[in-house]
Amino acid sequence: MKSVLRLLLQRLGLGALSLLLVSVVVFTITAVLPGDAAAELLGQDATPETLAALRAQLGLDQPMALRYLHWLGGLLTGDPGRSLVSDAPVMELIGNRLPNSLLLAAVTAAIGVPLALLLGTLAAVFRGSWFDRLLNSGAVALVSVPEFLIATIAVLVLSVKLGWLPALSYASDIDSFSGAVRVFVMPVLTLCCVIVAQMMRMTRAALADQLDAPYIEMARLKGVPPVRLVLGHALPNAIGPIANAIALSTSYLLGGVIVIETIFYYPGVAKLMVDGVSQRDIPLVQTCTMIFCAGYLLLVMVADMIGILANPRLRHAR
Amino acid sequence: MNAPAASNAASATTRRKRALGLGVPGTLGLLVVVAWLLVALVAPWWVSASAQDIGVLPVFAPAQAGHWLGADYLGRDMLARVLLGARYTVAVALVAALAASAIGTCLAMLAAVSGGWLDAVLSRGMDTLISIPSKLFALIMVAAFGASVPLLVLTAAVIYVPGAYRIARALAVNVAALDYVVVARTRGESRWYLMRHEVLPNIIAPVTVDLGLRFVYVVLLLASLSFLGLGVQPPAADWGTLVRENLGALWEGGLAVVAPALAIASLTMAVNLVVDALPGRDARKAVH
Amino acid sequence: MGARIEVEGLRIAAGANVLVHDVGFIVEPGQVLALIGESGSGKTTIALALMGYARRGCRIAGGRVRIGDTDVLALPESGKRALRGRRVAYIAQSAAASFNPSRRIIDQVVEPALLHGVLARDAAERKAIELFRELALPNPETIGQRYPHEVSGGQLQRVMAAMALIADPDVVIFDEPTTALDVTTQIEVLAAFRRVVRERGVSAIYVSHDLAVVAQMADRILVLRHGRMRECAGTAQVLATPADEYTRSLLDAARIGERPPDVPPPTAGKALLEVSALSAGYGRVRDGKPEIPVLADVDFKLYRGQAIGVIGESGSGKSTLARCIAGLIEPASGEVRFDGQTLPGTLAKRDRETLRRVQIVFQHADTALNPSHTVGRILERPLAFFHGMDAAARRRRVAELLDLVKLPSALAERTSVGLSGGQKQRINLARALAAQPDLILCDEVTSALDPVVAAAILDLIAELRREVNASYLFISHDMHSVRAVCDGIVVMRHGRKLAQIAREDYARGPHHPYYEQLARSVPELRIGWLDDVLVASGRGTPAPTGETAT
Amino acid sequence: EAAVAARPRYGGRVRVATATASIADTLDPAKLANQTDYARSRMLYSCLTRFDARLTPEPALAERYETRDAKRWTLKLRNGVTFHDGRPLRAQDVVFSLMRHKDPATASKAKIFADQIDSVRASAPGEVEVLLHEPNADLPAMLATFWFAIVPDGTRDFNRGIGTGPFKLKEFKRGLRSVMVRNPDYWRDGRPYVDEIEVSGLGDEGARVNALLSGDLDLVAAIDPRSVRRVEGDPGFRVFRQSSGQYSNLAMRQDIAPGRNREFVRAVQLLFDRKRIVDSVALGNAIVANDQPIHPSNRFWFAGLPQRELDLDKARYHFRRSGLGSAPIPVVASPAASYTVEMTLALQQAARAIGMNLELRRMPPDGYWSNHWGKSPVGWGNVNPRPNADAVLTQFFKSDSSGNDAHWRDPKFDRLLLTARSEIDEAKRKALYADMQVMIHEQGGVAIPLFISSLDAHNARLKGLSAIPVGGLMGYEFAEHVWWDA
Ligand SMILES: Nc1ncnc2c1ncn2[C@@H]1O[C@H](COP(=O)(O)OP(=O)(O)OP(=O)(O)O)[C@@H](O)[C@H]1O
Ligand SMILES: Nc1ncnc2c1ncn2[C@@H]1O[C@H](COP(=O)(O)OP(=O)(O)OP(=O)(O)O)[C@@H](O)[C@H]1O
Ligand SMILES: [Mg+2]
Ligand SMILES: [Mg+2]
């Protein structure tokens, strides 16, 4: 247990390092991209004079490194500064939407992950059967439909044609449980279509690999029933890759749901960041990236830890 | 029957199975993939440049003689669009997905086999890469190198390397700790050998499954990358873009959006059928 | 209580080949039937069939198996599940491969009892600890908290036995349950098995190559070769008046006893391998001490062409010693010198030539073979790697190697997955031989072999010493083989070298008391030997109830 | 029927979706950048003047305005107007609101216009005097534009949206939505009619239309021509069409190749099959334009300019004379500028027939204006409707203007522009503007194939919409005009 703790601390340290690295890279990219916040703000109406004035106002005339350090210093003290293009503090912009994003991700994960695990496990148990084939091709077929198409079809059918659900999922409508259900059905449905396949297929593949192992044979000879065989015996050995697939899929739910946010008008952070990129709003992009990155690192760290905990050989190794 | 004769017979049957290769679903998948590859190859010679002139048909015209898939949002012949689009989707996505998986898996195995600081550096590097918003990444690629198809492949590949790496590493670390890998180490085998011969065969099944999915993602990514101005330039369009730009057809019967969507589905399902049926799959078993 | 086992016309096939031909036998409750025979003759296959199970690629093609009133083969899957682990328990041949690597030992041991609702969790754990103690496992209270890879081969094998016995089955199938045990421990374990059979009237199938052990355990013996029954009769009869020629050859091979020393002891000079003050263990090293110390202050010398045997208690650190020399575990202190040079502690620092010259054969034969490689490929690799042979030469050499270890050359095309225990073991040995090393660290290379094949392997070892001056570190529990092939014996216990005995002193004595104890514990090929030993050690005659071993 | 329709009803709530929303959303009049900003500003603020349906300026906060020389203007403010916070409107507020655009630090989008102003001062209570550097007869039109909205003197924090407009701000979430409630003290009698308006910025056109059709929205801006049939197919919904001065122009830079070559420019202009583009790209929701920026509805439009049509023979002739071979010529377009990708495809198609090899370079919408617009040798721009001829000509064709994307420099044109601006005689002005239109048509280095109509869609019960062609949604002014039919 102590070695696990040490590993954990080590990973946290490395995670902080990764964050720093990401922040440098993202800052540099955003800064060297042609066009800056001032130019984006003024657009067609820019004149050299107003551009210069705005740049000075936004602090864009300062050297890059200085601006980065300033931002970093602010971040460390918990204040990532003000957004360049809107005069609101970055924290306020993000704070308004992050809970929504987390909520959507959580709801989707709470439905998608167990579903994927269940389907993947079933497919592995009945591998080679028609059921397995059906499940596999179904998953691939579903994931190969672009998500904007799924989302649009869902709206067309469920909102426009049938009128069952609101076409827009503005999150402040979530005041009652039934209201929340109505708001979340379509975004969650669409996202599940996107993420379930990867987790399911990886679960199946990793489990199927394990189900051929001799220790499974021995477990069968102990009279272990199929469900327990898969969950109790094969799963712990396959959990590493599965956890990673889950981590990858769930991390997508934080920053990758831009299509959902636009089509369903869901007020999350993904759109905030994409806007930030378009507007070259460095502090905003930086802070969003940091949040996504931290979320991602956290998820993969958990996945790695699960992998290590599940494989005792890795715990003390090297 | 004595033992040697018996095993001879057994190996003969495995050989025959291997020659047949993929089984029915796999062969079917392969046929579809090959068919699309052929289309990708010959379409530019086969479909005339004016086949996609705009305003030839009414916008979103339904299927009709000579225009079997109707027209798109600019009244262009949809069949020509889909056939010409095959080149970008099939070739670009296939190459990008293969590259992403190959690079990701190689690095993952390298990390798993080496362990220590190399593993840490590679893993953290991948974490950094995956944390860069893909839009930002695509934009900087266009800004830095302009738009071209090879660049598109590269961008798509780089975006998906870290994902492939993560999955493959999780698989590979488990295998790299096993006795038979230790045996190879005691021989002083190179890392390359350990990766290629000891680890890879025992993780290849899940890795190819991952490849199949990654291919799907790349196909879909292409649509958004080309929207960002990367790679394929109009009138050329990959299938994802065809779906996106004809979304408005959805309520008018929707052939213009359904056709490319089906094309994507047929290709991705075929690729996954092949992946699932790759030979030797059931003979390989991880033993702990 | 025990159940009658009735097997009739059992046929098991793998694809087109038949592995087991029309085997039939009956075991009455409280009786033990031994399955003996050539390695690869189908013993494990039959044993599995008793539970209605066939390995992947195999199928039960015909015949009947009845356990009590149950027609096993006709049972639905759920019926088979209810039977397995509860009424019929199985001790698998390969303990290493049979344990789930990611779960603690105790969880796996109590599982059958919990699964079939025989015991509650804490009762089951108590019983498991009881069994561990009976089976002479060290630290019975805590050993269950370890993971399978953290215990030695012999320990794992005993844990497996505990797992089989925990649910009080009616029928127990022992598939080579003591191959990894030293002879003293073996006595404890056999006594425990015997108690189970006698006290609870369990019927048992006992698969073994060790005829001396079989003589102690079995009421009847069934001799197999190439999947066919050669003979089936009472133990006394088979041992005294074997009807079949193959049985006779087995018995002859088992009676090698003192093989004449076939190699003149090499002259002293510069030692090929010199181990001095070696300490090592597992886990992190702190202040020169590993977290779990295993070896302490071991030293010995090995000259070119010599074979040094290492014997000792199961768990005493023999495999650890071999791994240390092979460079898999960095010594905490002390030194290993090879051919005058200090061997670096890790593989990475050793050069290729050194790696070639020192080869290790792992104790766990099946986990050491890559399941996705064919046997041919496994054997060809060292040939290409060390000797740069071309494909044709490699193929020829592989055939030679297989022949050397008495395996059919057709095996080269199969993967290791479908091989029998003994076959895998020999492939591991052949792989080491392929490198043409100067020193081979043999960790239990004959434990899964029948006497005839084992004798052939020992001959091979002797021959190589003679012809290419190869040297061996020969770790084994089989005192007969050790004495037959080795020029000296290192006796180990609790990670220390207790004594080193030179060949010329074997017969002289008295030696270290532990060595004497070991020597006394070597089973003899006569019925009743075990009872005598038990009585002599004051543990009385069979059957007193409620007694536990200490 | 007309009588019934003319009597608006009070009450109700209107949910509106515009096409853009981002964190750059602002309530600062000097920074307004997109439709959503414009629409919101029209609800919260009033200007000194306003446009009627023909873009003629009429009094708003300024009750009267007069000038003798078009240089010195006196504006008399309306009495009894109060800001949302209850303060009365004073001359000082007007001075502040106009003068702040001149300060570079404000970074006003209207600086280029405000720079015409020399000074603004409160000449008497309720009266301001605006002094211009040069005469400009169009000052009232300029003052009606969004940026010159009147805010309380000294305002620094614009997030409260204090103005004199028909609605008061209730909620403002950048990039998401804002809610406004009826201002009972609005200076225009009886207006507005609805109690509350909710404005959301929904970037996805399909989502806007779907939400309208499913009843989640009442009015949506900027629908695609391809959705028109769909909306009109449902009796419960209507499309609101306005022909306006919005256009996309292909700028061929006059200072570098290939645009420096007049023959090339002419060849390109002759390659546009304008009618076909109107039909197949805009599906009829546009009118053919004539390579000059003045919309036919404008009073200064020059009707005598012959319409340029597709003429392959002439185009081939000019292209030959240009000496440019079949080497690819990149044409930069972007989804950021309406229809430009599609129009380039049409152009490409025609160019193929004369052996001209145009290569479409589609650029990402973001960063397009700062990175590509006006920088590429041949590239598209897009101009939103401007309130008057002077504005569009000044901003996009004057030699020294940064919006002059064709980099066309002609001192004569600049002179004409200034003369026309200060000319008070309508007929003379008209002649001057006609000359300028001819100049641009002949030498301006731009191709303007069509004027794009704005398309909004709404619930059929929502009444009161009529054209004010400075942009969609009634020149973004819909809020004070709409009302719910029973
Ligand atoms: N799936 C399979 N396909 C083909 N042959 C197989 C398969 N599984 C096992 N065999 C063969 O069946 C034979 C019997 O194997 P089994 O494991 O029963 O031998 P065994 O008598 O237990 O030998 P050992 O004493 O070495 O353990 C061996 O020759 C083995 O190679
Ligand atoms: N990875 C490990 N971590 C911790 N303890 C271990 C590990 N491997 C082995 N041990 C312990 O070290 C001791 C020596 O093990 P080793 O395998 O060397 O014994 P051995 O002499 O080879 O026994 P056997 O004859 O049973 O194979 C045992 O008590 C075992 O439980
Ligand atoms: Mg066996
Ligand atoms: Mg050992």
Side-chain angles (χ1 to χ4, degrees), chain A residues 2-20:
Chain A
K2 222 160 68 197
S3 56
V4 174
L5 200 73
R6 193 176 40 233
L7 256 171
L8 198 80
L9 287 177
Q10 200 181 332
R11 279 301 299 268
L12 280 174
L14 282 173
L17 208 71
S18 297
L19 271 176
L20 195 71

Side-chain angles (χ1 to χ4, degrees), chain D residues 26-44:
Chain D
T26 179
L27 298 178
D28 179 352
K31 300 226 159 82
L32 308 176
N34 57 51
Q35 309 180 343
T36 321
D37 287 343
Y38 298 156
R40 246 187 320 248
S41 84
R42 281 298 191 230
M43 292 179 215
L44 298 174

Side-chain angles (χ1 to χ4, degrees), chain A residues 33-36 39-50 53-54 57 83 85-88 92-93 96-97 100 152 155-156 159-160 163 165-168 170 172-173 262-268 271-272 274-281 284, chain D residues 21-25 31-33 38 102 104-112 115 147 156-157 159 171 173-177 199-204 207 210-211 213-214 216-217 230 366-371 373 381-384 386 395-396 402-403:
Chain A
L33 263 185
D36 63 7
E40 292 305 321
L41 265 180
L42 289 169
Q44 284 187 333
D45 307 292
T47 65
E49 196 188 359
T50 43
L54 193 54
Q57 214 176 76
S83 148
V85 299
S86 81
D87 47 352
E92 184 191 310
L93 289 173
N96 279 336
R97 302 183 186 216
N100 299 333
T152 309
V155 176
L156 271 185
S159 299
V160 179
L165 298 169
L168 306 179
Y170 194 82
S172 70
D173 301 338
T262 357
I263 292 189
F264 294 114
Y265 195 52
Y266 188 86
K271 177 145 191 323
L272 195 64
V274 172
D275 280 354
V277 171
S278 303
Q279 312 266 4
R280 309 284 188 267
D281 192 338
L284 182 67
Chain D
S22 81
I23 38 146
D25 281 358
K31 300 226 159 82
L32 308 176
Y38 298 156
K102 284 174 64 76
T106 308
S108 168
K109 297 206 137 207
K111 182 160 192 304
I112 186 168
D115 280 344
W147 302 290
R156 304 201 133 267
D157 173 18
N159 288 335
E171 180 191 319
K173 285 219 180 98
R174 278 188 185 78
L176 290 175
R177 71 168 173 186
V199 184
S200 315
L202 245 139
D204 188 68
N210 285 330
L213 297 183
S214 69
D216 291 310
L217 292 173
R230 195 175 160 206
D366 63 76
Y368 186 72
W369 301 118
S370 49
N371 302 337
W373 180 61
N382 177 260
V383 174
N384 285 326
R386 302 285 149 169
Q395 207 180 341
F396 299 102
S402 60

Side-chain angles (χ1 to χ4, degrees), chain C residues 39-45 55-56 93 209 414 418 420-423:
Chain C
S39 166
S41 60
K43 301 182 292 296
T44 302
T45 311
R55 279 181 289 201
R56 267 172 81 86
Q93 185 173 12
H209 293 303
R414 290 184 30 197
S420 84
Q423 288 167 337

